[in-house]
């Protein structure tokens, strides 16, 4: 006989088997007992929280021939057995992800006309209903609003925001909660006891954490671990090996390395993680969870009410949170959240992780307000802890031997003319690399002020050179013994200024006959043709 996966084998058959949804189960039972059953229900919630299982249990309960006193289906009568075996024509389960057209909804409209051959109700369970097309929703609308008395619709979805309001308003909505880690761990322990298998408490708790509120996901992870370590007791280390996770102590060590800006220690931890065959994406995801737990512990009075962790881990988190500031933790969470998004599309995830770690351990990488606030909070924390924060200052020479740098005289008009004439020669001789190539594309221009303008052909070039003005000024001053004040300007703006001030080039050539004007212009544009 073929093997049945755990999540299928332990699908609940009664309301009491539905984990973590007591508020919904109680409401449905009360409706059956008071005969106030609605014609349409909408079950919303994340994956693996029991939406479809509850819908099937409810479909059996309202058709059961021997309903128990507490509202549970008997699962032994002919109606229950037929529905459990999938033979009943009274319960139809439809996958809207693959049957989302108008034609599929028309088939349902035809089916609802006929009363059930046995039992009381016909139940249509439409799973992933948000996948229906707009036309299909419109076709369903009238039938959902006024169905025959013998028809009940149960719509299930993980994304209720995509369901039209006109559909929502015609249904009773039930929101399935995420199942707590404790409930999942206890349920898994019960299943293992039934199967005669064994797992440690911390292993089950870790599996429940990985499931993120989904019982089905936890069963799938546990099933994988049981298959990998067949016949052995499942331990925390074995679960971590299967899912590619790391021991939680690594997260505490990495946090400590970041707080001390110990790049060497942080890189050694990454090397160990990768050497052990752990997954980088899984590490980032769990490290984010660790930082979130630290932030809650550092800012909330009673974090144990929010954090679903053991007492030992909570105490360890509290001890580390006392050494960190909320600003630092918030900044790290932001950086690793961005990294988690970027790493989805990276071919080499290790490089991105290492670069981010080195960035966080450096003093120079980030200068934005959030980074500076985090650094300031870190310094305040160290001062509060009694750690002296010393700024290293270069040893100064005695005043009598210290020499002030000589000032260079400001450039005169003839110096500017010589600079314009010898500009490309100076650039080729005294600049290197990409800066030399960019300056070779620049021309020298002047306005009626003291600046020397680097006339650039396009905005990007002007923007780049603007960041190197100090270097350009120092290099030119060093080699000409004159101080020039440089500014960048785009050629289009410079030409427009010239045209506004002195007219177009043809006008300058045809109308320049004033000697004083010629003298003035020759001072600013020595290479211009001043012939009438």
């Amino acid at each position: 006989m073929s093997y049945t996966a755990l999540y299928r084998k332990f699908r609940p058959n009664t309301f009491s088997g539905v984990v973590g949804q007591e508020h919904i189960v109680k409401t449905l039972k009360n409706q059956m007992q008071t005969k106030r059953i609605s014609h349409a229900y909408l079950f919303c919630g994340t994956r693996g929280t029991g939406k479809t299982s509850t819908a099937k249990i409810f479909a059996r309960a309202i058709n059961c021939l021997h309903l128990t006193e507490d509202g549970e289906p008997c699962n032994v009568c002919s109606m229950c057995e037929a529905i459990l075996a999938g033979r009943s024509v009274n319960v139809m389960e439809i996958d809207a992800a693959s049957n989302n057209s108008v034609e599929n909804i028309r088939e349902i409209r035809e089916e609802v006309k006929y009363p059930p051959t046995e039992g009381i109700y016909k139940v249509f369970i439409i799973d992933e209903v948000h996948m229906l097309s707009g036309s299909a929703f419109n076709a369903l609308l009238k039938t959902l609003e006024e169905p025959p008395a013998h028809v009940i619709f149960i719509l299930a979805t993980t994304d209720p925001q995509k369901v039209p309001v006109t559909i929502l308003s015609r249904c009773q909505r039930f929101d399935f909660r995420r199942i707590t880690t404790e409930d999942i761990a206890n349920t898994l322990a019960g299943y293992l006891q039934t199967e005669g298998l064994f797992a440690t408490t911390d292993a089950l708790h870790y599996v429940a954490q990985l499931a993120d509120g989904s019982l089905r996901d936890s069963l799938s992870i546990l099933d994988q671990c049981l298959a990998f370590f067949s016949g052995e007791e499942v331990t925390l280390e074995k679960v971590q090996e299967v899912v590619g996770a790391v021991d939680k102590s690594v997260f505490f060590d990495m946090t400590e390395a970041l707080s001390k800006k110990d790049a060497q220690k942080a890189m050694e931890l990454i090397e160990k993680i990768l050497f052990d065959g752990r997954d980088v994406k899984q590490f980032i995801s769990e490290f984010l969870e660790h930082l979130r737990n630290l932030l809650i512990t550092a800012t909330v009075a009673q974090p144990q009410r929010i954090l679903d962790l053991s007492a030992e881990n909570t105490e360890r988190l509290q001890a580390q949170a006392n050494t960190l500031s909320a600003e630092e933790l918030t900044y790290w969470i932001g950086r690793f959240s961005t990294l988690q998004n970027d790493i989805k599309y990276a071919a080499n995830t290790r490089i991105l992780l290492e670069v981010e770690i080195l960035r966080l351990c450096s003093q120079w990488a980030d200068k934005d307000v959030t980074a500076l606030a985090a650094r300031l909070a870190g310094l305040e924390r160290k001062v509060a802890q009694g750690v002296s924060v010393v700024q290293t200052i270069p040893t100064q020479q005695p005043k009598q031997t210290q020499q002030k740098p000589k000032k260079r005289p400001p450039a005169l008009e003839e110096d500017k003319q010589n600079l314009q004439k010898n500009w490309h020669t100076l650039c080729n001789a005294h600049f290197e690399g990409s800066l030399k190539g960019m300056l070779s594309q620049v021309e020298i221009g002047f306005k009626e002020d003291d600046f020397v303008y680097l006339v650039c052909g396009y905005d990007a070039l002007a923007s780049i050179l603007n960041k190197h003005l100090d270097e350009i000024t120092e290099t030119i001053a060093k080699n000409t013994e004159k101080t020039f004040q440089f500014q960048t300007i785009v050629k289009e703006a410079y030409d427009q200024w010239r045209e506004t001030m002195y007219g177009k080039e043809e006008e300058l050539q045809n109308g320049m006959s004033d000697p004083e004007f010629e003298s003035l212009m020759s001072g600013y544009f020595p290479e211009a043709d001043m012939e009438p």
Side-chain angles (χ1 to χ4, degrees), residues 269-493:
L269 288 171
I270 294 176
E271 182 65 29
K272 180 180 183 302
I273 291 168
L274 297 175
F275 181 78
D276 292 340
R278 305 312 185 197
D279 183 62
V280 171
K281 296 179 182 178
Q282 183 70 24
F283 166 76
I284 295 173
S285 177
E286 294 193 27
F287 189 51
L288 267 172
E289 181 73 16
H290 175 72
L291 294 176
R292 171 256 185 189
N293 293 342
L294 283 173
L295 181 60
I296 292 175
T297 305
T299 55
V300 177
Q302 295 181 325
Q304 61 272 15
R305 294 186 177 182
I306 301 174
L307 301 178
D308 194 9
L309 299 173
S310 64
E312 180 184 356
N313 282 334
T314 303
E315 291 177 3
R316 192 174 181 185
L317 278 172
Q318 188 70 62
Q320 187 167 66
N322 292 335
T323 67
L324 298 167
S325 66
E327 290 83 0
E328 289 174 292
L329 291 169
T330 302
Y331 177 60
W332 293 343
I333 289 173
R335 293 300 312 174
F336 278 100
S337 295
T338 303
L339 176 63
Q340 187 180 43
N341 185 61
D342 294 342
I343 215 165
K344 295 177 183 177
Y345 313 101
N348 194 327
T349 55
R350 173 176 181 167
I351 292 177
L352 289 184
L353 175 60
E354 290 177 337
V355 169
E356 188 60 43
I357 293 296
L358 292 175
R359 176 190 291 272
L360 292 175
C361 290
S362 70
Q363 300 285 353
W364 47 263
D366 288 294
K367 304 297 182 184
D368 60 18
V369 176
T370 307
L372 293 176
R375 289 179 57 189
L376 179 60
L379 293 174
E380 291 175 344
R381 169 174 51 79
K382 291 180 180 179
V383 171
Q385 293 172 352
V387 179
S388 59
V389 181
V390 181
Q391 181 180 4
T392 304
I393 303 176
T395 305
Q396 297 182 352
Q397 296 293 332
K399 290 186 178 179
Q400 60 271 21
T401 60
Q402 188 175 4
Q403 296 182 353
K404 295 183 178 180
K406 295 181 180 180
K407 291 185 177 180
R408 299 184 178 92
L412 303 176
E413 290 302 325
E414 57 268 23
D415 298 321
K416 295 180 181 179
Q417 294 177 27
N418 290 332
L419 176 66
Q420 186 182 50
K421 184 184 301 182
N422 300 318
W423 173 249
H424 292 292
T425 303
L426 286 170
C427 291
N428 291 330
H430 303 295
F431 291 95
E432 296 180 353
S434 59
L435 183 57
K436 175 181 177 180
M438 288 186 288
L439 291 176
S440 66
Q441 305 175 44
V442 169
E443 299 294 337
I444 298 298
F446 306 101
K447 292 186 179 182
E448 296 178 354
D449 52 27
D450 295 330
F451 289 103
V452 174
Y453 289 88
L454 303 178
V455 183
C456 306
Y458 47 94
D459 288 329
L461 179 59
S463 177
I464 295 172
L465 290 180
N466 199 46
K467 300 177 182 179
H468 295 276
L469 286 182
D470 291 341
E471 180 182 351
I472 296 170
T473 301
E474 182 62 28
T475 303
I476 295 298
K478 181 179 179 181
N479 291 280
T480 62
E481 294 296 329
K482 301 291 181 181
T483 301
F484 297 91
Q485 298 182 62
F486 289 101
Q487 278 197 4
T488 59
I489 188 171
V490 180
K491 188 176 188 306
E492 182 180 354

Side-chain angles (χ1 to χ4, degrees), residues 18-33:
V18 179
V19 180
Q21 312 300 339
E22 290 78 9
H23 62 297
I24 295 174
V25 168
K26 183 177 181 180
T27 304
L28 295 177
K29 284 184 176 182
N30 289 340
Q31 286 188 353
M32 288 188 296
Q33 291 173 354

Side-chain angles (χ1 to χ4, degrees), residues 89-90 92 111-112 114-116 120-124 150-152:
V89 294
N90 285 3
M92 281 160 279
E111 285 286 341
V112 300
Y114 306 105
I120 305 173
Y121 295 101
K122 268 191 172 182
V123 182
F124 292 86
H150 59 267
V151 172
I152 293 176

